[in-house]
Amino acid sequence: MTYEETLYYLYHQLPVFQQVGSSAYKPGLGNSEALDEFFGHPHRKYRTIHVAGTNGKGSTSHLLAAILQQSGYKVGLYTSPHLVDFRERIRVNGEVISKEFVIDFTQRYIEPTRNIHPSFFELTMMMAFDYFAACNVDVAVIEVGLGGRLDSTNIITPDLSIITNISFDHMQFLGNTLTEIAQEKAGIIKPNIPVVIGEAEGEVKQVFIDKARSVNSPIYFAEEIRPIAHATLAESGKWVFDSDEYPNLIGELGGFYQEKNAATVLTAIKLLKQMNYAILDKAVYRGFEHVTQLTGLQGRWQHLHDYPKVICDTGHNIGGIQYIVAQLRAEKYRTLRIVIGMVNDKDINGVLSILPKDAVYYFTQASVPRALPAQEMMQKGLAHGLSGTYYPSVEEAYKKAFNDCDPNDLIFVGGSTFIVADLLSIKQKCLTA
């Protein structure tokens, strides 16, 4: 099989959550444990760090990987979903998994594991674990796919668990209250394994305290430790963080929400050092300032064009969108133009209700079956006082917004990871054409 044929086979023979949603979701660890036994427990051959949370877990995972990599470790990084290429999910020292490994793994193991009936996520997770073992990584940063307690990745026993924050997302699986969602995320807290919590308050915080106490897990709250004394978002679009350990720390990721992620990462670094991880100060500086180059991270308040300024961001729930709305308010522009679409299992009305009313909207849909049809997205937007029209594809919506622009306008593209994925695919095609 070619690489393209292999991907087609994976996407069409196995249930893929990002494509079809809930029908692909397989709660429980039975399949993962069976696969893990079949492959000889590859994740036990290297150290791991486990990262969960509603928002920010991708940025946090990439930052940690970049810092460890710059400290001389060979680092595996497993994240999901991908934006342009499937191989983005599985990286070693920032380099994506080879096409040859993807092809060979699929050809060798699809049939022998068929009786386990794995989902796409379960099998590709095991591909990552097996690849990291084959590459002899020192440590792997593993991002939770969905939830925590029943997520496929929860078979690992990490050196450190991290939960970034709790917000409303995937309620059909995780619960309808923040405490219910927190209980699912808290499922990654393991006996005697320290855990870092990025943001939590009230009943949610108590959920984490109770869970950690029940399994004798040391718990650390970044908001209490306060590793960052002061933070400023510079005119360059980068953060400047000041702390006792890392004065004048430059953060490349410019989203408002990255201040919280930075505090979470610095708290995690402090604990990893106590576990005898040899993390260099210069590695922390370089990891923060060059994370996209070192790890390939995309889609986090990503600046794509000047005059007009074009920004995209993968924030897709109220917890993420509220930061984006605040940041858009702080931007300077003549007209704000927003290209937006969402998938049909999100809190669409909740998101639309907090979006700026003074923008021009280009309602659209991503190229996945879960996408809410563009016309329906527009109707919901109009009901919330937003004005604009709809376009059947991200490419058409973006081109129209771009053509409508004055050089001093701002285009924001988002609402869904898959909207951003389509935009970046378009941009990549233009670069390679």
Side-chain angles (χ1 to χ4, degrees), residues 84-268:
V84 178
D85 184 350
F86 164 84
R87 296 182 299 150
E88 296 167 25
R89 296 168 177 256
I90 305 169
R91 296 177 183 268
V92 171
N93 279 5
E95 296 296 323
V96 296
I97 186 173
S98 69
K99 290 182 179 180
E100 291 73 22
F101 193 96
V102 174
I103 295 167
D104 181 63
F105 181 95
T106 304
Q107 289 180 329
R108 280 192 293 144
Y109 295 121
I110 279 285
E111 286 304 322
T113 61
R114 191 176 291 279
N115 64 313
I116 298 173
H117 304 294
S119 68
F120 172 88
F121 186 85
E122 288 163 342
L123 192 66
T124 54
M125 176 200 73
M126 197 52 59
M127 182 189 295
F129 289 0
D130 192 54
Y131 183 65
F132 296 156
C135 291
N136 294 311
V137 302
D138 300 308
V139 57
V141 181
I142 308 297
E143 180 192 8
V144 167
L146 194 158
R149 181 175 66 93
L150 300 177
D151 186 72
S152 305
T153 63
N154 206 27
I155 60 173
I156 67 174
T157 301
D159 287 345
L160 178 68
S161 303
I162 300 171
I163 302 173
T164 56
N165 55 47
I166 300 298
S167 185
F168 287 108
D169 204 3
H170 299 297
M171 283 92 79
Q172 69 271 43
F173 308 121
L174 306 180
N176 293 311
T177 68
L178 291 179
T179 53
E180 287 175 339
I181 295 170
Q183 285 164 358
E184 290 300 313
K185 307 282 187 186
I188 73 164
I189 300 176
K190 301 290 197 310
N192 304 307
I193 303 296
V195 58
V196 171
I197 308 296
E199 292 181 77
E201 59 183 21
E203 293 180 347
V204 166
K205 185 174 184 178
Q206 194 60 48
V207 166
F208 295 136
I209 292 171
D210 291 345
K211 174 63 177 180
R213 185 179 293 136
S214 73
V215 295
N216 197 35
S217 173
I219 187 167
Y220 303 87
F221 293 93
E223 291 176 313
E224 293 178 0
I225 293 172
R226 297 191 63 194
I228 297 173
H230 182 70
T232 304
L233 190 57
E235 287 187 15
S236 64
K238 296 182 178 182
W239 281 101
V240 181
F241 303 117
D242 277 312
S243 71
D244 291 338
E245 278 194 83
Y246 307 104
N248 199 39
L249 177 64
I250 307 300
E252 177 186 15
L253 304 178
F256 274 16
Y257 49 86
Q258 296 296 348
E259 182 180 0
K260 302 284 188 182
N261 293 336
T264 303
V265 169
L266 291 179
T267 302

Side-chain angles (χ1 to χ4, degrees), residues 17 21 47 73 157 179 182 234 240 250 261 288 306 312 316 381:
F17 180 82
R47 306 171 86 172
Y73 290 96
T157 301
T179 53
V240 181
I250 307 300
N261 293 336
F288 265 89
D306 291 312
C312 69
H316 56 270

Side-chain angles (χ1 to χ4, degrees), residues 330-342:
E331 290 281 340
K332 296 177 181 178
Y333 49 78
R334 193 196 72 159
T335 301
L336 173 60
R337 302 181 186 276
I338 296 181
V339 177
I340 189 167
M342 297 184 70

Side-chain angles (χ1 to χ4, degrees), residues 10 42 45 73 78 134 138 144 170 180 203 284 353 372 402 433:
L10 288 171
K45 297 174 182 175
Y73 290 96
Y78 176 65
D138 300 308
V144 167
H170 299 297
E180 287 175 339
E203 293 180 347
V284 176
S353 70
L372 185 75
F402 197 90

